[in-house]
Amino acid sequence: MKYVLLLCDSDRSTYMHQTPAEAQKTFGAITAWWGEKAQRKVILGGEQLASPDKATTVRSVGGRSVVTDGPFIEAKESIGGYALVEVPDLDAAIALAKEWNGLLPGSTVEVRPLHEGEGM
Amino acid sequence: MREEAARVTASMVRLVGDFDVAEDVVQDAIVEALEHWPREGIPDAPAAWLLTVARRKGIDRLRREARHRQKIALLEAPPPMTTLPDDRLDLIFTCCHPALARDAQVALTLRSVLGLTTGEIARAFLVPEATLAQRIVRAKRKIVGAHIALRRPDVRELSDRLGEVLAVLYLVFNEGYLASGPDRASRRDLAEDAEWLTSLLVRLMPDEPEPLGLLALMRLHLARAAARFDERGRLVLLKDQDRSTWDRDRIADAVRLIERAGALRRTGPYQLQAAIAALHCEAASHDVTDWPQIVRLYDVLVGMTNGSAVVRLNRAIALGEVAGPEPALRAVSELASELDRYHLYHATRAELLRGLGRHDEAREADRRALELTDNPAERVLLEERIDR
C-alpha cells in the first residue's frame, strides 16, 4: 500500500535551535535513514522543500486566481518535505513516521494513503 | 450466544478481510441457528456450527463478486473442528486502533466484539441512531481506506496499543457507571458490558497485568454501587456512604486480581488506580483510610501519566485529608488553566474553600461546577450545596 508522509516542522522542531555541528549530525542521520529506506524500496520518492518563506500561494476565489506570498496555511507548522512510501499496512507507515519523529524531535508527520481507484 | 458470535465474527473478519461482509454472514448464520437449534437441539460445538454456516454463506456471497477468488479458497479450506482459533484479540485491537477517533473506537468495539446493534449503542450513549450509524460507517471506511491491518500489534507496540484498548473499555464503563437519571431504566448496562469485555481481555492475555488492574478497578467500583445513591436517588459522596452495603466478597475478589497482577511485576496506571480504590474499599471508614499511602500511590501515578492534571487533582484531594485544606487548595490552584472546563475541579475547590470557612468563594466555585455538568445527580448535589 502506498502512502504519502507529509513531513512537517514547527517551532518545537529542535533542529531550528541546533549548532552547525549538531545540524550536520542530524542531516547525516536523515540522509542515512532515507538512503536505507530508498534502497529497500520502502521510500519510492520524496523531496525536501525550501523554507516556507519562499512559498507562493495561488488560490481560486470567485472564478479568479489570486496569487499571494507565503504558504497556504498561516500556522505554526509548515510542510518541510514529503515521502512517497510503499509498505504493507498503516502500522508500517506509522512506524516510519515514528522513526522520522526520532530523527527530528518536535516534527509532525501526516500519514495519508493515496486515492483509491484509477490514478490520474 | 454472545461469546460464540464474537468468536465467529472475529474469525470471519480475518478470513474475508471485510467487516461488513463478515458481520452480515454471521448475522445470517445466527438467524439460521435460531431457526434450527430449538428444533434439533444445540450442537456440541456451537461456534464451529456457526462458522461452518457463515463460511458457506461467505462463499456464496463472494462468488457473486468474482474478484474474490483468493478469499473463496480460504473459506473452502476445511476448518479445524476441535478448537476454533481465537481471533477476538485481533478484532479488539483493530477496533481500538489509535488511527480511529475515540468515539469511533467505542462504537466499533461495542458493535463488532459485543454484537450490540447500532440502536442499542445509540440509546446507551444518548445519541441519535443515525449519528451512531454514520460514525461506524466512517470508522470502517477509515479501516479500509487507510489499510488498518486486522491483526493484533507487534510486541514493540503492544504496550501503547493495549493502553488504547483499556482506555476505550474504561470509558464505556464510566459511561455506564456514572449514568443516572430517569433514562437509566431503558439504557443498557454499559458498565456490565465493559466489565465483560475486560474479563474477556484478561482471559485472552493472561500474562498482561494492566487488564487485571482495570478489571479489579471496575469490580471495586461495582462493589460499592449500592451505596452511591440514597433512597431518594441522590448522589452520596464517598465519605458519607454506608460502608456496610459494600460487597465485601467482590472487594476480596478484586484484591486477589490486584495481587495476581502484582505477581507479574510490571506496574501500570490501572493497577495503581485499583490499588488506590482497594485502600478505600478496605477502610472501615473515611477517617481511618490510609490517606498517606494513597498520596504516595498518586505520586507514582502522576509520574506514570506524564503529570495528568486529573490525577494531580485527585492527589490534591487525598493530600487534603493528610495535610489539611490549605496545602490541598494550593495544589489544586496550580491546575487552574488546565482544568478550568472540568466541573470536578471547581467542585473540589468548593469543598476545600468550605473547609477553610470561605463560604462565599465556595458557593461561587460550586456555581461554576454546576455550569459545567449535565449529570442530573451531580447537579442536584451541587444545587443543594449552593443553597445551603
Side-chain angles (χ1 to χ4, degrees):
Chain A
M1 316 293 32
K2 292 187 184 153
Y3 300 84
V4 165
L5 269 54
L6 289 170
L7 310 165
C8 305
D9 302 317
S10 70
D11 50 10
R12 286 184 339 255
S13 292
T14 52
Y15 82 84
M16 297 202 177
H17 311 291
Q18 286 181 329
T19 65
E22 288 168 337
Q24 186 77 314
K25 240 184 114 200
T26 301
F27 183 71
I30 291 175
T31 311
W33 180 85
W34 192 285
E36 192 255 327
K37 301 287 180 228
Q39 217 228 352
R40 290 198 295 117
K41 304 239 191 299
V42 168
I43 291 183
L44 302 179
E47 304 287 351
Q48 179 179 13
L49 306 183
S51 56
D53 57 338
K54 308 212 181 51
T56 307
T57 298
V58 183
R59 188 175 265 122
S60 165
V61 178
R64 293 173 48 232
S65 285
V66 179
V67 180
T68 49
D69 177 31
F72 76 102
I73 296 177
E74 278 307 322
K76 288 216 176 104
E77 298 196 89
S78 60
I79 304 176
Y82 72 93
L84 175 66
V85 305
E86 187 157 25
V87 288
D89 56 40
L90 182 63
D91 286 332
I94 290 173
L96 284 175
K98 286 184 175 177
E99 285 174 23
W100 185 263
N101 284 160
L103 290 165
L104 280 173
S107 61
T108 301
V109 181
E110 178 178 321
V111 176
R112 209 185 311 182
L114 297 191
H115 179 74
E116 297 282 296
E118 304 307 311
M120 280 194 288
Chain B
M1 180 64 92
R2 173 166 66 174
E3 282 241 21
E4 313 296 357
R7 291 189 64 154
V8 176
T9 303
S11 293
M12 286 305 295
V13 167
R14 181 176 56 79
L15 288 169
V16 298
D18 183 317
F19 265 101
D20 283 329
V21 172
E23 278 177 6
D24 283 348
V25 300
V26 171
Q27 275 304 112
D28 290 346
I30 290 174
V31 167
E32 268 202 33
L34 292 173
E35 282 165 23
H36 288 226
W37 294 359
R39 290 198 310 256
E40 295 159 21
I42 297 176
D44 290 328
W49 190 99
L50 284 171
L51 187 60
T52 307
V53 172
R55 289 173 96 123
R56 184 177 19 95
K57 291 184 184 290
I59 291 170
D60 288 343
R61 180 114 168 213
L62 294 183
R63 218 164 246 154
R64 275 181 262 134
E65 299 163 51
R67 50 203 171 98
H68 297 292
R69 303 252 126 79
Q70 247 193 337
K71 291 180 184 171
I72 293 176
L74 269 173
L75 287 170
E76 282 178 332
M81 287 315 276
T82 43
T83 47
L84 208 63
D86 205 326
D87 295 309
R88 282 178 298 180
L89 204 53
D90 297 348
L91 191 59
I92 291 172
F93 275 105
T94 303
C95 291
C96 295
H97 197 286
L100 298 170
R102 182 72 82 223
D103 59 10
Q105 294 170 333
V106 168
L108 207 54
T109 302
L110 292 176
R111 176 100 191 76
S112 300
V113 187
L114 212 47
L116 301 193
T117 64
T118 355
E120 285 174 318
I121 304 170
R123 277 188 296 280
F125 284 89
L126 301 178
V127 303
E129 188 167 340
T131 307
L132 211 299
Q134 254 313 297
R135 200 176 283 173
I136 291 178
V137 164
R138 257 183 268 122
K140 290 179 181 177
R141 238 188 261 145
K142 174 78 188 270
I143 290 174
V144 171
H147 307 291
I148 293 177
L150 304 172
R151 58 139 205 272
R152 71 196 70 180
D154 274 339
V155 171
R156 283 165 308 161
E157 301 290 337
L158 186 64
S159 177
D160 284 346
R161 294 286 302 272
L162 185 54
E164 290 282 327
V165 173
L166 297 175
V168 170
L169 296 179
Y170 199 32
L171 189 152
V172 175
F173 179 83
N174 281 314
E175 186 66 37
Y177 185 72
L178 298 172
S180 56
D183 328 311
R184 188 91 179 74
S186 57
R187 286 172 66 173
R188 251 202 105 72
D189 193 346
L190 288 177
E192 192 199 280
D193 289 333
E195 203 241 349
W196 184 84
L197 279 167
T198 309
S199 72
L200 173 64
L201 194 63
V202 165
R203 269 182 284 148
L204 295 173
M205 305 187 84
D207 298 323
E208 287 296 326
E210 281 287 88
L212 282 162
L214 180 59
L215 187 58
L217 181 60
M218 288 179 178
R219 288 183 176 172
L220 288 168
H221 285 315
L222 291 170
R224 298 176 287 174
R228 282 184 67 228
F229 295 99
D230 66 16
E231 64 287 338
R232 301 204 314 210
R234 298 178 316 169
L235 201 62
V236 180
L237 295 179
L238 181 64
K239 63 182 185 205
D240 301 318
Q241 285 181 9
D242 177 2
R243 300 191 176 207
S244 69
T245 64
W246 290 0
D247 188 332
R248 294 283 152 205
D249 289 334
R250 284 182 102 161
I251 291 171
D253 168 60
V255 169
R256 273 191 292 275
L257 290 175
I258 296 173
E259 287 164 0
R260 230 179 92 188
L264 294 164
R265 301 202 157 295
R266 263 181 298 141
T267 194
Y270 289 105
Q271 290 168 82
L272 279 166
Q273 287 179 79
I276 291 167
L279 283 168
H280 283 295
C281 286
E282 292 180 317
S285 74
H286 183 83
D287 293 329
V288 304
T289 306
D290 192 348
W291 293 107
Q293 178 62 359
I294 290 180
V295 173
R296 278 191 290 272
L297 288 173
Y298 271 121
D299 286 336
V300 183
L301 190 57
V302 167
M304 221 172 248
T305 56
N306 283 321
S308 148
V310 173
V311 173
R312 282 153 67 204
L313 180 67
N314 288 320
R315 179 187 173 278
I317 296 170
L319 184 65
E321 297 295 336
V322 174
E326 189 81 60
L329 191 60
R330 269 199 302 275
V332 168
S333 302
E334 286 168 18
L335 306 166
S337 52
E338 285 171 272
L339 295 182
D340 191 55
R341 304 288 315 158
Y342 185 44
H343 66 288
L344 291 180
Y345 162 76
H346 297 283
T348 304
R349 278 196 76 238
E351 280 289 88
L352 294 169
L353 286 163
R354 235 182 314 271
L356 291 166
R358 289 152 68 174
H359 294 283
D360 287 334
E361 289 172 86
R363 224 173 278 122
E364 198 40 55
D366 271 334
R367 267 190 216 108
R368 195 78 187 88
L370 189 59
E371 282 168 25
L372 294 167
T373 180
D374 295 327
N375 184 298
E378 286 180 331
R379 290 184 67 86
V380 165
L381 189 128
L382 289 166
E383 279 160 1
E384 285 184 354
R385 290 206 316 215
I386 293 168
D387 292 337
R388 212 174 288 153

